[in-house]
Amino acid sequence: SIPFFRKAVSIYPYDADLQIRLSIALSSQKELLSESASAARKAIELKPAQPVYYIQLAHVLAAQGKFDESRKV
């Protein structure tokens, strides 16, 4: 699913829902957590009224061991 969402985001970079789905897909692989956090941040930038986007970002930051930053989200 990661290649699909990467391609979709490259075509529709301003679609917050695609950004967060990419973040979710990427978060399943530890080595892709940084990219996952970036995608979640982009989703929040595009659609800040979506609480689930903040939850995803907090989850990714916690998975990276960034607990203080995660709590601030």
Side-chain angles (χ1 to χ4, degrees):
S1 70
I2 292 172
F4 170 81
F5 286 116
R6 280 186 172 148
K7 179 69 173 176
V9 164
S10 74
I11 296 168
Y12 303 104
Y14 300 107
D15 187 319
D17 294 327
L18 286 176
Q19 292 284 352
I20 206 66
R21 289 171 196 249
L22 174 61
S23 175
I24 291 166
L26 293 167
S27 69
S28 67
Q29 297 183 30
K30 188 172 181 134
E31 66 275 8
L32 299 177
L33 289 174
S34 180
E35 187 180 349
S36 175
S38 294
R41 285 186 175 101
K42 181 67 175 177
I44 290 168
E45 177 186 315
L46 294 169
K47 208 181 219 183
Q50 286 291 341
V52 72
Y53 296 176
Y54 295 89
I55 294 167
Q56 172 63 15
L57 178 57
H59 169 76
V60 172
L61 292 171
Q64 290 178 300
K66 299 178 179 179
F67 301 109
D68 288 339
E69 192 177 346
S70 175
R71 283 189 284 272
K72 293 176 183 176
V73 171

